[in-house]
Amino acid sequence: GVTPPRVIYEPDPKYADAARQAQSQGTVYLSLVVTAAGLPEYVHVVKSLDSRLDQKAVEAVKQWKFEPAMKNGKPVAIVIAIEVNFKLD
């Protein structure tokens, strides 16, 4: 009976200039721990898109804030997967 964490602050990743020029777009898959305080830790790439965009995705997710996962009414740390999408406008 664990309720999952919920994102409450989610700044968008910045597009790497070289990746924009190369017209790279798609999804970076990340894994991370959301702490009981609602902070992301141990953010790492599970499935790469482009090394420049992978880095931008990690940088962005490290700034995210979460409402933590709850178990028996208490906040707990949990491992989650996140998708970060890059799409050229």
Side-chain angles (χ1 to χ4, degrees):
V2 176
T3 59
R6 186 174 63 87
V7 178
I8 55 176
Y9 175 68
E10 181 181 352
D12 289 330
K14 304 230 183 311
Y15 231 107
D17 290 336
R20 184 182 300 281
Q21 291 169 353
Q23 306 235 333
S24 293
Q25 55 184 356
T27 304
V28 178
Y29 297 86
L30 303 174
S31 176
L32 63 135
V33 172
V34 176
T35 69
L39 300 174
E41 287 188 348
Y42 310 109
V43 181
H44 69 274
V45 176
V46 174
K47 185 176 177 195
S48 177
L49 170 63
D50 171 300
S51 62
R52 299 162 293 204
L53 295 180
D54 295 349
Q55 184 59 37
K56 295 295 184 183
V58 169
E59 289 170 7
V61 170
K62 283 183 175 180
Q63 296 175 42
W64 289 15
K65 304 283 185 274
F66 295 83
E67 195 173 89
M70 301 292 277
K71 182 174 183 179
N72 299 326
K74 296 184 179 176
V76 294
I78 193 168
V79 176
I80 64 168
I82 295 277
E83 295 178 7
V84 179
N85 297 303
F86 289 90
K87 185 169 171 136
L88 293 167
D89 297 332

